[in-house]
Amino acid sequence: MNPGAEPTPGPRPWPGPEALRGPVDRFFFGTEAWVMPASLERLIGRSDSGIEGASVDPAALRRAVARALPPRRLSADMLTRDLRGRLALLPRSDWQRLGLCLSVLPFCGHILRSMDGHFRRAVRQGLDEASLASLDAQDLAGGRVEFLLGPGAWRTPERVVAGGVRAALEQACLWPDPVRERFLLQFGPDELTLPPSVAGLNVQWLEIACKASLADHPWLWS
């Protein structure tokens, strides 16, 4: 080694808990696995996306996302410093479960005793018994989070789920634009245009819902 040469810098240390490395890498660089091409085309225009056709090449999709939303606009700190930032790393399926859970918050304390058959069917299909019992133990949420959609909404639970996701994005997860724009690419172009299902969400209720529906994700709180 040349004694006068500057030392070669080593790899930058990972800035957060090791359990977060995989979710962060997926969000930054694994976009071909979760981005909906139709949503990307809505964002940047079909002619500019370079991903036209029924079968989208994963590498082309990844490059198109990187051009439209460069990773350099993001920082690991945006996504790892607290619960709200880490929630952006969740895949669509987890957000659907969380969206349902958020929509159920106004009914805490009497979920399992509800007489509404459509409501019971929706919550039992989307959440397990442990999650429902955890929510029912949180009767302090009842009366503070308001359900906005009316009882007939439970006939179409997918609309309630989407409304829960939208409520979280509008009321509790106020992410920087680079995070929000990338996150939204995992939902259909019109999927989150439905009205929010609840009002009154804050970080406390968000955490209650996360611990009930995402108990198998300890990295959200680690």
Side-chain angles (χ1 to χ4, degrees), residues 47-66:
S47 61
D48 296 326
S49 68
I51 56 170
E52 294 183 72
S55 179
V56 178
D57 176 62
L61 180 60
R62 185 173 61 250
R63 290 193 297 269
V65 174

Side-chain angles (χ1 to χ4, degrees), residues 12-27 80 89:
R12 297 180 64 181
W14 168 243
E18 187 61 32
L20 279 169
R21 185 190 293 270
V24 169
D25 283 349
R26 171 186 171 276
F27 191 79
T80 60
L89 302 174

Side-chain angles (χ1 to χ4, degrees), residues 15-208:
E18 187 61 32
L20 279 169
R21 185 190 293 270
V24 169
D25 283 349
R26 171 186 171 276
F27 191 79
F28 271 74
F29 307 114
T31 49
E32 72 279 5
W34 56 270
V35 165
M36 287 194 174
S39 295
L40 182 61
E41 289 177 352
R42 166 74 68 88
L43 176 69
I44 62 179
R46 180 180 295 270
S47 61
D48 296 326
S49 68
I51 56 170
E52 294 183 72
S55 179
V56 178
D57 176 62
L61 180 60
R62 185 173 61 250
R63 290 193 297 269
V65 174
R67 287 195 303 270
L69 302 172
R72 65 176 178 274
R73 299 176 64 213
L74 298 165
S75 71
D77 186 58
M78 291 178 184
L79 298 160
T80 60
R81 61 188 168 198
D82 59 20
L83 170 64
R84 286 175 293 181
R86 294 177 187 196
L87 284 172
L89 302 174
L90 290 175
R92 170 194 170 85
S93 58
D94 286 339
W95 263 97
Q96 289 176 316
R97 187 158 33 129
L98 179 58
L100 176 61
C101 195
L102 293 169
S103 297
V104 171
L105 283 178
F107 307 96
C108 287
H110 53 90
I111 298 168
L112 295 173
R113 300 194 307 272
S114 173
M115 300 300 291
D116 183 334
H118 296 294
F119 172 82
R120 290 201 312 272
R121 187 177 304 108
V123 299
R124 288 184 183 278
Q125 287 178 347
L127 298 168
D128 59 29
E129 290 292 325
S131 298
L132 297 176
S134 175
L135 289 171
D136 257 349
Q138 301 291 341
D139 59 355
L140 75 165
R144 299 192 184 187
V145 182
E146 178 186 0
F147 190 69
L148 302 177
L149 302 183
W154 294 100
R155 294 175 183 271
T156 52
E158 65 276 5
R159 295 174 66 88
V160 180
V161 167
V165 175
R166 182 168 177 183
L169 300 184
E170 291 183 354
Q171 300 169 37
C173 295
L174 305 179
W175 297 316
D177 286 345
V179 173
R180 183 183 181 86
E181 290 167 353
R182 182 171 286 242
F183 169 85
L184 289 175
L185 292 178
Q186 65 186 316
F187 293 92
D190 301 314
E191 194 170 359
L192 299 184
T193 59
L194 297 168
S197 60
V198 295
L201 286 181
N202 57 29
V203 176
Q204 178 186 1
W205 311 136
L206 187 66
E207 185 168 342
I208 288 171

